[in-house]
Amino acid sequence: MKAYVDLHIHSALSPCADEDMTPNSIVNMAILKGLQIIAITDHNAIGNVAACLEAARNTPLLVVPGIELTTQEEVHLLAYFDEYSSLVSFYEEVEKHLPLLQNRSHIFGHQWIYNAQDQIIDEDQRLLMNAIQLSFDELIYKIVGYGGVPVPAHVNRDSFSVLSSLGFIPPELPIHTIEIFKHNKGSLSTPLQKQLAHYQQIISSDAHSLGNLLEQVFFVDLNQLDAAHLLKRLSQSPEVEP
Ligand SMILES: [Zn+2]
Ligand SMILES: [Zn+2]
């Protein structure tokens, strides 16, 4: 089956996201846009994933547990897990490496945590926009170690991407899929496109506001609509001519 996906969406827990990026608003907008699968991927935090899973429970929409990490090198790295409990275990280890700095909400924005009824239940006081003190390689292996799938985010962007920070994708790492930011599609040089052909490519919105969620722009072919099948697809490399 064709499953239309948008696997990179920020809730209001990300300081840069709109305050109406609440669990039910995101879920309802995704359904309106004709999506079958979304992922909530907040910066270095997972506080709204449970509420989004709950909000989607009696709907046709599948929410995949996820996060967008900022590595020590300032590379944005997405991670997806088929079970929420695996995301939590992974995060418990990773959050120890967040710098001990407080968010200044008047400068950077609020970091709201919601329940499944869209009520604010807490505010994350940590500075989530800073880099986690773990390298790109270390985080990749940790994600895989917890059964997750790493996907370098918006590789075709000029900042916070693996290409802008490291200049290349280390070929020895267990990476099979990369994310292309939709607005920059086609902006890559030919040699880069050749290198990237070794990876499966997904297109996501990186939405920070409801209107920016993808419509039916990008789909994956799945035998079954569940997180395990999606993750299996994201763990496969494309067949590339030698
Ligand atoms: Zn990013
Ligand atoms: Zn993002």
Side-chain angles (χ1 to χ4, degrees):
M1 66 174 292
K2 266 186 183 180
Y4 284 95
V5 304
D6 187 350
L7 300 176
H8 188 161
I9 297 171
H10 290 269
S11 80
L13 174 54
S14 294
C16 38
D18 285 358
E19 298 205 355
D20 60 2
M21 292 297 271
T22 61
N24 288 278
S25 299
I26 294 171
V27 165
N28 290 331
M29 182 57 86
I31 293 168
L32 272 176
K33 296 241 180 180
L35 299 175
Q36 278 78 46
I37 309 177
I38 63 167
I40 307 300
T41 51
D42 285 310
H43 292 291
N44 296 333
I46 63 168
N48 281 334
V49 174
C52 288
L53 287 165
E54 178 67 27
R57 189 184 298 269
N58 293 317
T59 76
L61 185 74
L62 174 69
V63 176
V64 175
I67 185 169
E68 181 174 29
L69 304 154
T70 306
T71 75
Q72 213 162 31
E73 306 90 340
E74 305 269 333
V75 174
H76 285 185
L77 176 62
L78 297 157
Y80 304 107
F81 296 82
D82 62 347
E83 297 280 349
Y84 177 63
S85 57
S86 310
L87 172 67
V88 172
S89 306
F90 165 76
Y91 188 64
E92 279 170 0
E93 190 182 335
V94 160
E95 69 177 339
K96 294 180 205 149
H97 302 276
L98 264 173
L100 294 170
L101 294 168
Q102 292 272 305
N103 183 36
R104 290 189 219 165
S105 54
H106 60 286
I107 301 173
F108 301 114
H110 289 285
Q111 301 177 156
W112 301 122
I113 297 175
Y114 291 85
N115 64 17
Q117 285 73 47
D118 283 6
Q119 293 157 330
I120 293 172
I121 52 169
D122 204 355
E123 179 167 14
D124 201 322
Q125 302 293 341
R126 301 169 297 176
L127 186 61
L128 297 175
M129 290 303 284
N130 264 34
I132 291 173
Q133 294 309 300
L134 289 169
S135 69
F136 183 72
D137 295 22
E138 284 173 313
L139 279 164
I140 294 270
Y141 284 113
K142 277 193 200 299
I143 294 164
V144 172
Y146 280 90
V149 175
V151 176
H154 40 71
V155 299
N156 54 333
R157 263 196 185 165
D158 297 338
S159 55
F160 299 112
S161 76
V162 63
L163 295 180
S164 68
S165 297
L166 305 183
F168 69 113
I169 302 175
E172 71 281 6
L173 294 178
I175 297 170
H176 305 284
T177 299
I178 55 173
E179 182 203 68
I180 304 287
F181 181 57
K182 62 163 187 170
H183 297 298
N184 289 358
K185 230 185 147 217
S187 63
L188 293 166
S189 66
T190 312
L192 266 181
Q193 283 183 18
K194 255 191 175 161
Q195 196 203 343
L196 297 186
H198 292 271
Y199 300 93
Q200 237 190 122
Q201 302 185 3
I202 59 172
I203 296 169
S204 314
S205 68
D206 196 4
H208 289 68
S209 59
L210 287 171
N212 282 338
L213 264 70
L214 285 191
E215 297 188 8
Q216 294 188 330
V217 170
F218 181 77
F219 69 88
V220 288
D221 228 328
L222 294 179
N223 294 331
Q224 214 175 305
L225 191 70
D226 61 33
H229 279 79
L230 175 72
L231 263 61
K232 205 173 154 207
R233 272 304 309 272
L234 300 182
S235 324
Q236 292 165 351
S237 295
E239 287 176 18
V240 183
E241 301 283 316

